[in-house]
Amino acid sequence: MTEEDSIKPVIILVQTQLAVNIGMCARAMLNCGLDELRLVAPRDGWPNEGAVAPATDAKHVIESVKVYPTVAEAVADCHQVYAATARIRHLNTPVVTANEAAKEMHSATLKSGGMNRPAILFGPEASGLDNDAMSYADRLMHYPMNPDFTSLNLAQAVLLFSWEWWSSRAEAITSYEQDWEAAPRAELDHYLQRLEIELEKSGFFTNREKQPNTMRKIRTLFCRSNPSSQEVKSLQGILTALISRLR
Amino acid sequence: MTEEDSIKPVIILVQTQLAVNIGMCARAMLNCGLDELRLVAPRDGWPNEGAVAPATDAKHVIESVKVYPTVAEAVADCHQVYAATARIRHLNTPVVTANEAAKEMHSATLKSGGMNRPAILFGPEASGLDNDAMSYADRLMHYPMNPDFTSLNLAQAVLLFSWEWWSSRAEAITSYEQDWEAAPRAELDHYLQRLEIELEKSGFFTNREKQPNTMRKIRTLFCRSNPSSQEVKSLQGILTALISRLR
């Protein structure tokens, strides 16, 4: 089985205060291919219209939210539980970074033949997870942030975890295959030869001995931008226009 | 010198609509150790009280914001310019992921002895960067997201780039290919302005309406090669030589 068929991490928001944040979390999750969102005792109840607009096109994430009264019930069918927290010194639970957590989840899922269901808990906006909620976690997850300013908002914390999960999946794209057709170098070379002739006529090369070196430098500059045929035509047109004023 | 002493990436928000988003960007930046924020023509003016609360404790980032009327002025003292965009097929500019962009910036900064100033442009919330703004970039930066849902909000886009920069600072690539110092963008811009004037005089622009688009294409070509000061001087010299035959 491929990883795409397998179970993805479940995001669990515990006692979230603002519905707008739930919507923003849903959007951030879907950006990174996650779509299972659970709520534990959201302050303003559920469903909540305030979450819909911030979710933009992630409406199906919002519509399939499940609500639980307690953390214990929300994680009951999960195999690994992580707790996102900035307070990493208060419990005797191993601490991993978001990147490490994401990689652990992928490997646990693969080892289990796709049956492993990881979950990650995020606490209320103002206070974060309390010790009781954190005690359900087998790992604490933290973000190694600027030590002078670690306060992340809820949706941004969910985004960073989701991004790490998405970026570290096996088939993660590492670079974009660009649909770019560079001109055959003969076209660029033809331009550069013509440029050299016109520069000679214009008295640009005050020192004949240095002329080859100067042209090498000019060629380096243009080769580096690896122009398309259309761009070489533009360069030819510019040259033609500039010298045409002679006539 | 250590990297910590050196210049960090400048975040440039172009024609941002909502002050709340500017505040959230400032917070996300500071989470990841970035603190230089520039605005190009923010819709609702600046300073703006609406940015203060969302910035939470990142107030000094907000207070030291600089505002510019144009992208050209905002990037004038920068040596590398990236443009964040989801539209990666429209311009002839190389595309890198956020992670690759972050690593390139670290490398260029290290190679330059900490003097290299990279900048990254983010467009308006609704529409993203337009082609004119993107033509100032030598690299387009994209986020390899869930292909079914790539729409990131502004602050989250800024966060992900900042996070990639922060997370990759220790592992900066040491094998950056080019070992030269890019010119501040003001020098290239000055050349392009002069080129446009001379092309106008030469009757190059047969269609007035297409002139801005033609100049964008020319700018794209030259930005892509990210020329050094010496190379910009060569380009100026070439232009001077070609037009001097008039006299």
Side-chain angles (χ1 to χ4, degrees):
Chain A
M1 84 179 282
T2 70
E3 198 179 2
E4 274 177 45
D5 301 322
S6 71
I7 294 171
K8 298 172 189 171
V10 178
I11 303 290
I12 303 178
L13 304 183
V14 180
Q15 295 168 4
T16 307
Q17 298 169 290
L18 298 172
V20 60
N21 288 334
I22 297 171
M24 290 175 76
C25 287
R27 178 180 181 175
M29 288 169 57
L30 192 59
N31 282 147
C32 302
L34 298 181
D35 50 17
E36 188 165 353
L37 177 60
R38 300 181 180 182
L39 305 178
V40 174
R43 188 190 68 182
D44 295 339
W46 194 262
N48 191 314
E49 266 302 303
V52 176
T56 65
D57 287 333
K59 287 192 178 54
H60 75 270
V61 178
I62 290 292
E63 285 162 4
S64 55
V65 158
K66 288 184 194 131
V67 184
Y68 299 83
T70 64
V71 170
E73 289 160 282
V75 301
D77 63 342
C78 300
H79 303 84
Q80 294 174 288
V81 180
Y82 292 74
T85 180
R87 297 186 295 134
I88 51 181
R89 293 175 190 280
H90 298 273
L91 280 183
N92 296 327
T93 305
V95 177
V96 294
T97 65
N99 180 267
E100 290 164 340
K103 287 177 177 165
E104 286 179 359
M105 289 183 196
H106 284 297
S107 61
T109 299
L110 283 170
K111 279 183 191 158
S112 70
M115 298 306 294
N116 179 74
R117 189 193 301 274
I120 177 155
L121 305 167
F122 292 87
E125 294 90 332
S127 55
L129 292 166
D130 62 21
N131 286 347
D132 189 60
M134 282 198 277
S135 72
Y136 287 89
D138 41 284
R139 292 272 197 284
L140 302 186
M141 187 192 79
H142 85 120
Y143 302 95
M145 283 286 174
N146 176 3
D148 297 329
F149 187 54
T150 58
S151 156
L152 269 180
N153 86 21
L154 178 59
Q156 297 197 330
V158 168
L159 174 67
L160 285 188
F161 164 75
S162 304
W163 172 252
E164 290 291 345
W165 181 83
W166 174 258
S167 301
S168 61
R169 74 201 190 288
E171 69 275 26
I173 302 161
T174 54
S175 72
Y176 178 72
E177 294 291 322
Q178 200 166 18
D179 188 19
W180 169 253
E181 284 182 35
R185 278 301 159 91
E187 294 179 14
L188 180 60
D189 210 48
H190 181 251
Y191 165 72
L192 290 169
Q193 284 172 25
R194 191 174 156 231
L195 179 64
E196 183 169 8
I197 290 166
E198 296 301 334
L199 287 175
E200 273 180 353
K201 289 186 197 167
S202 306
F204 179 73
F205 302 108
T206 49
N207 184 331
R208 278 278 162 192
E209 280 179 22
K210 288 187 181 167
Q211 182 170 340
N213 191 40
T214 302
M215 282 309 299
R216 269 196 294 279
K217 286 180 178 168
I218 294 170
R219 181 178 297 109
T220 299
L221 167 63
F222 284 103
C223 283
R224 210 166 59 222
S225 53
N226 200 16
S228 67
S229 289
Q230 190 54 52
E231 287 175 329
V232 176
K233 283 199 190 88
S234 295
L235 290 170
Q236 294 276 24
I238 287 171
L239 181 55
T240 301
L242 292 172
I243 63 176
S244 68
R245 280 196 267 166
L246 290 169
R247 290 189 283 270
Chain B
M1 85 179 282
T2 69
E3 198 182 2
E4 274 174 46
D5 301 321
S6 69
I7 295 172
K8 298 171 188 172
V10 178
I11 303 290
I12 304 178
L13 304 182
V14 180
Q15 294 169 4
T16 306
Q17 297 168 290
L18 299 172
V20 60
N21 287 334
I22 297 171
M24 290 176 76
C25 287
R27 177 179 180 176
M29 286 168 59
L30 193 59
N31 281 148
C32 302
L34 297 181
D35 51 16
E36 186 164 355
L37 178 60
R38 299 180 181 184
L39 305 178
V40 174
R43 188 190 68 183
D44 295 339
W46 194 263
N48 191 313
E49 266 302 304
V52 176
T56 65
D57 287 333
K59 286 192 177 55
H60 75 270
V61 178
I62 290 293
E63 284 162 5
S64 55
V65 158
K66 288 185 195 131
V67 184
Y68 300 82
T70 63
V71 170
E73 288 159 283
V75 301
D77 62 342
C78 300
H79 304 83
Q80 294 174 289
V81 181
Y82 293 73
T85 179
R87 297 186 296 132
I88 49 185
R89 292 175 187 279
H90 297 271
L91 280 184
N92 296 330
T93 305
V95 178
V96 294
T97 66
N99 179 266
E100 290 165 339
K103 287 177 179 168
E104 284 179 0
M105 289 182 195
H106 285 297
S107 303
T109 299
L110 284 170
K111 285 276 180 188
S112 71
M115 298 305 294
N116 180 74
R117 189 192 301 274
I120 176 153
L121 305 168
F122 292 87
E125 293 90 332
S127 55
L129 292 167
D130 62 22
N131 286 345
D132 191 59
M134 282 197 276
S135 74
Y136 286 89
D138 43 285
R139 293 273 197 282
L140 302 185
M141 187 191 81
H142 84 121
Y143 302 95
M145 282 286 174
N146 176 2
D148 297 329
F149 188 54
T150 57
S151 156
L152 269 180
N153 87 21
L154 178 59
Q156 297 197 331
V158 168
L159 174 67
L160 286 189
F161 163 75
S162 305
W163 171 252
E164 290 291 344
W165 181 83
W166 174 258
S167 303
S168 62
R169 71 203 186 287
E171 65 205 31
I173 302 165
T174 52
S175 60
Y176 195 66
E177 292 157 27
Q178 293 87 9
D179 193 17
W180 86 93
E181 289 179 29
R185 277 306 160 88
E187 294 178 13
L188 180 60
D189 209 48
H190 182 252
Y191 165 71
L192 290 169
Q193 284 173 25
R194 192 176 154 231
L195 178 64
E196 184 169 11
I197 290 167
E198 296 302 335
L199 288 174
E200 273 179 353
K201 289 187 198 165
S202 307
F204 178 73
F205 302 109
T206 49
N207 185 330
R208 277 278 163 194
E209 282 180 17
K210 288 186 181 166
Q211 181 169 342
N213 191 41
T214 302
M215 283 309 299
R216 271 198 292 279
K217 287 180 177 167
I218 294 170
R219 183 183 298 112
T220 298
L221 168 63
F222 284 103
C223 283
R224 209 167 59 219
S225 55
N226 201 12
S228 67
S229 289
Q230 189 54 51
E231 288 174 329
V232 176
K233 282 199 191 89
S234 294
L235 291 169
Q236 294 275 26
I238 288 170
L239 182 56
T240 301
L242 292 172
I243 63 176
S244 67
R245 280 197 268 165
L246 290 169
R247 290 189 284 272

